[in-house]
Amino acid sequence: MLIEPRFVKLNTRTGVEVRRTVPHAKLKMIGAWCFIDHFGPTKQTDAMVVAQHPHIGLQTVTWLIEGRIEHRDSIGSVQLIKPGQLNLMTAGRGISHSEISLSAGASNEAETLHAVQLWVALPKDALNIAPEFEHQGNLPKFEVVTNQGGKAHVTVLAGELAGVTAPTKTFSPIMGAELRISKGESFNLKLNSEFEYGFMPAQGSITIGEENAETSCVIFLAPGEEQVTIKANEDLILLMLGGTPFGEKILMWWNFIGRTNEDIVQARKDWNQRQELKNGRFTDFNDNVGPWIPAPDLPNVALHAR
Ligand code: MN
């Protein structure tokens, strides 16, 4: 199944536009992966700025291909991320964070911004854990020989691929990897037949079986596949995500994931009334970004997990 992205204006002061494939009317999740935003590559005329906003019930994963982004959060993390590295923020019961990309001119490397932001839904028994942040600066890499005798360069972002496991903290059976091969080459990968998978070219385009995916599109494979052959129609940077079907209904609203309408109403109230100062759910922090982003109004009807 092919999923085409829609264009979404981010709630930022500089209005970065992203291509979003998940969630989609035809594809709610890939394992626990419940959100895929692809942005860039774009020349930065100004820094990308995402002011303080909260999360509950999920992990955010920032995978950087080009540029520099600084992350700050309410548990005191300050972390610059560089290409090939991964920032993982586990919201648990609640965290707030801000992100700012280094502006053009700060360094040559920061001139272009190209990144993927992903969310991972936390299972029910991890919804109320304390928030955590981790930076993975040295993820495991390996090479696969392509069918043409070239090399596919693989970085494991989370979980396991071909016996290589990333140290990234996960709460359900998932995997993520970045794969790079040259135009015209193809390679075979063994799959976990209990997993469903999504393949998104961040650069270039791919063919899997009868399906072609352009940049920012996702090819989805349902569980049951033992292996896959991926052909690069152009020089390729491919994001691969997989996991066992999540098995729980979730309620996604704004930046929150819960199970019930009350979960969302309470989180929204705690954030907008700045209750973090009283009960510690979203502790305040300092950054160079400016005012926090209030949660929008709730719909007039109760929300339901789907
Ligand atoms: Mn966020």
Side-chain angles (χ1 to χ4, degrees):
M1 179 169 67
L2 180 70
I3 302 294
E4 294 190 336
R6 59 191 190 279
F7 293 83
V8 179
K9 278 265 184 200
L10 277 190
N11 190 4
T12 69
R13 283 199 244 127
T14 48
V16 171
E17 193 173 63
V18 305
R19 277 93 65 203
R20 183 169 299 162
T21 36
V22 172
H24 186 278
K26 291 195 293 183
L27 185 63
K28 201 179 73 174
M29 301 172 83
I30 302 165
W33 300 101
C34 59
F35 187 90
I36 305 177
D37 265 2
H38 180 210
F39 55 95
T42 180
K43 293 285 178 203
Q44 301 189 71
T45 52
D46 197 357
M48 178 200 73
V49 176
V50 185
Q52 286 188 38
H53 61 280
H55 291 286
I56 66 164
L58 58 92
Q59 296 175 289
T60 64
V61 178
T62 303
W63 172 242
L64 198 61
I65 299 165
E66 287 184 86
R68 296 282 188 278
I69 296 176
E70 186 187 82
H71 161 97
R72 290 180 187 240
D73 65 39
S74 56
I75 54 171
S77 317
V78 178
Q79 182 66 56
L80 182 70
I81 181 175
K82 297 178 179 179
Q85 302 180 337
L86 184 143
N87 276 355
L88 176 77
M89 188 178 78
T90 302
R93 67 182 297 271
I95 195 167
S96 59
H97 73 143
S98 67
E99 288 175 301
I100 183 166
S101 65
L102 294 194
S103 55
S107 75
N108 287 339
E109 292 82 6
E111 198 175 307
T112 301
L113 183 64
H114 189 190
V116 180
Q117 173 141 87
L118 308 159
W119 291 359
V120 182
L122 290 172
K124 197 169 61 181
D125 60 6
L127 289 175
N128 286 314
I129 62 171
E132 295 175 22
F133 175 81
E134 67 184 47
H135 174 72
Q136 297 293 346
N138 192 22
L139 289 161
K141 297 178 194 301
F142 63 94
E143 291 174 352
V144 179
V145 178
T146 68
N147 297 324
Q148 291 72 29
K151 281 177 185 167
H153 302 272
V154 182
T155 305
V156 185
L157 309 182
E160 176 261 330
L161 181 62
V164 177
T165 303
T168 313
K169 188 163 184 177
T170 58
F171 292 84
S172 62
I174 60 168
M175 63 76 58
E178 189 218 65
L179 308 96
R180 296 183 184 222
I181 58 171
S182 300
K183 177 180 179 171
E185 302 213 58
S186 66
F187 65 106
N188 309 319
L189 270 183
K190 272 191 70 171
L191 298 179
N192 179 339
S193 63
E194 293 177 4
F195 277 26
E196 52 194 13
Y197 289 96
F199 299 88
M200 187 202 79
Q203 175 194 293
S205 65
I206 54 167
T207 301
I208 294 176
E210 301 290 299
E211 214 104 63
N212 297 304
E214 300 298 323
T215 305
S216 301
C217 295
V218 168
I219 292 177
F220 175 77
L221 298 183
E225 304 287 338
E226 303 279 340
Q227 76 149 40
V228 67
T229 301
I230 299 163
K231 179 171 182 287
N233 303 318
E234 296 152 61
D235 286 349
L236 178 69
I237 301 174
L238 179 68
L239 183 70
M240 172 182 182
L241 303 172
T244 55
F246 192 60
E248 283 184 63
K249 291 181 175 179
I250 63 169
L251 177 42
M252 275 179 78
W253 181 81
W254 195 49
N255 292 306
F256 302 138
I257 294 183
R259 295 296 182 274
T260 66
N261 190 60
E262 289 68 39
D263 294 343
I264 302 299
V265 169
Q266 188 62 51
R268 180 184 179 278
K269 190 173 163 195
D270 289 348
W271 176 247
N272 279 4
Q273 296 186 353
R274 311 302 282 162
Q275 288 296 313
E276 78 278 14
L277 301 173
K278 294 175 189 152
N279 68 13
R281 188 175 196 178
F282 303 113
T283 313
D284 215 356
F285 66 100
N286 293 318
D287 58 23
N288 304 316
V289 176
W292 56 286
I293 300 173
D297 289 339
L298 283 159
N300 285 325
V301 293
L303 301 162
H304 292 285
R306 291 188 294 129

